Amino acid sequence: MAYTYLISGATSDVGRALIERLLAADADALVLAQGCGDLDKLAPLVAAHPGRIRPFDVDLSDPYKVDTFCQLLAGQPAPTHFVHLPALPVVNTRFKGFDEARFAKDWEIQVHSAVKLCKAVLPAMSKARFGRVLFIQTSYTLGAPPKNTAAYVMAKGALGQLCKSLAVEYARFGITVNCVAPSMMETNFLKDTPDLIVQAAAADNPMGRNATPADVVPAMAFLLSEEARFITGVTLPVTGGSAIV
């Protein structure tokens, strides 16, 4: 079977690292890569793998544009794998300063678009009786979260429950639905996080450092693989021991 990977948030550090790994492992794989105003980040990968990456510039915070994107996907090879990565950067703020407009935007990006894209790809996966769906969560949803992260934790928690619900409903079709939950990962995603918080997280981690995409992508690749065919509905911590379930 020729695999087609739909990756939303593909322009992120994790997205680019995952694309590189998937294409290196499978000479026939095709990637449908969503970004938002930053497709130039994919240019080196597109040049290195001609014809194997199809970029799409889509603002996932706009439901109308997500609907249009879902219609465009109908003209592409049906995704066998769907990986959902996008989110607004974490902003650490006390609940009394909760930014409802920002939360609503992040909800559209993380949760509502995930629902729409799943509705777009799951029928073909069901018909083929094969599929892999993977969401990225956070270790903040495992046990007690850090203070001042309510907005981020709520959105990620919703993705975790969507994962469990879809896993139960679609297991009989040969479709697995899982999450990875990294601890703090040093990527551009932390651009709005104070250095003191980043350094403190590294110091508190049993391994003495924060995660990197190189730590997380192999776990993602496993959950997307045939070897993980009997694993569904799980959230896999990738935390260096800072969160253990």
Side-chain angles (χ1 to χ4, degrees):
M1 176 187 295
Y3 290 158
T4 298
Y5 295 86
L6 170 61
I7 303 179
S8 49
T11 53
S12 64
D13 294 338
V14 172
R16 298 196 310 275
L18 179 62
I19 290 172
E20 190 166 17
R21 183 183 180 99
L22 295 173
L23 293 185
D26 182 353
D28 297 320
L30 172 68
V31 175
L32 310 177
Q34 178 272 333
C36 181
D38 57 356
L39 293 184
D40 57 302
K41 293 180 179 179
L42 294 175
L45 284 170
V46 171
H49 303 280
R52 301 181 64 197
I53 302 173
R54 298 182 186 177
F56 296 85
D57 195 341
V58 184
D59 181 358
L60 297 182
S61 71
D62 185 331
Y64 174 78
K65 292 179 180 178
V66 177
D67 288 339
T68 301
F69 182 40
C70 291
Q71 293 170 8
L72 288 174
L73 290 175
Q76 302 293 324
T80 53
H81 298 66
F82 170 41
V83 183
H84 189 62
L85 304 174
L88 292 180
V90 179
V91 174
N92 292 76
T93 183
R94 293 182 179 180
F95 188 72
K96 66 181 181 180
F98 192 95
D99 187 335
E100 294 183 27
R102 191 178 192 279
F103 174 70
K105 181 177 181 179
D106 199 26
W107 186 270
E108 290 294 334
I109 291 170
Q110 290 204 57
V111 182
H112 200 188
S113 73
V115 171
K116 287 177 175 285
L117 289 168
C118 283
K119 289 178 70 176
V121 303
L122 284 170
M125 290 183 182
S126 300
K127 185 176 181 180
R129 305 196 75 79
F130 175 84
R132 299 283 184 270
V133 177
L134 183 64
F135 302 125
I136 190 163
Q137 268 199 295
T138 171
S139 65
Y140 291 1
T141 62
L142 307 175
K147 293 185 293 185
N148 308 328
T149 58
Y152 185 65
V153 171
M154 281 193 287
K156 289 300 185 185
L159 284 177
Q161 297 308 311
L162 176 61
C163 165
K164 292 178 181 180
S165 297
L166 294 178
V168 171
E169 186 169 347
Y170 284 91
R172 65 192 180 95
F173 296 105
I175 299 169
T176 67
V177 188
N178 293 297
C179 297
V180 290
S183 56
M184 183 175 286
M185 187 167 25
E186 295 197 4
T187 68
N188 188 56
F189 188 70
L190 296 180
K191 63 183 181 180
D192 296 325
T193 302
D195 287 342
L196 285 177
I197 293 178
V198 176
Q199 294 166 11
D204 289 343
N205 190 288
M207 290 195 178
R209 64 176 179 86
N210 291 318
T212 68
D215 299 314
V216 178
V217 164
M220 299 172 70
F222 169 68
L223 290 173
L224 294 169
S225 72
E226 176 61 20
E227 285 79 5
R229 61 189 174 273
F230 207 64
I231 300 173
T232 194
V234 306
T235 294
L236 177 62
V238 186
T239 67
S242 63
I244 299 175
V245 295

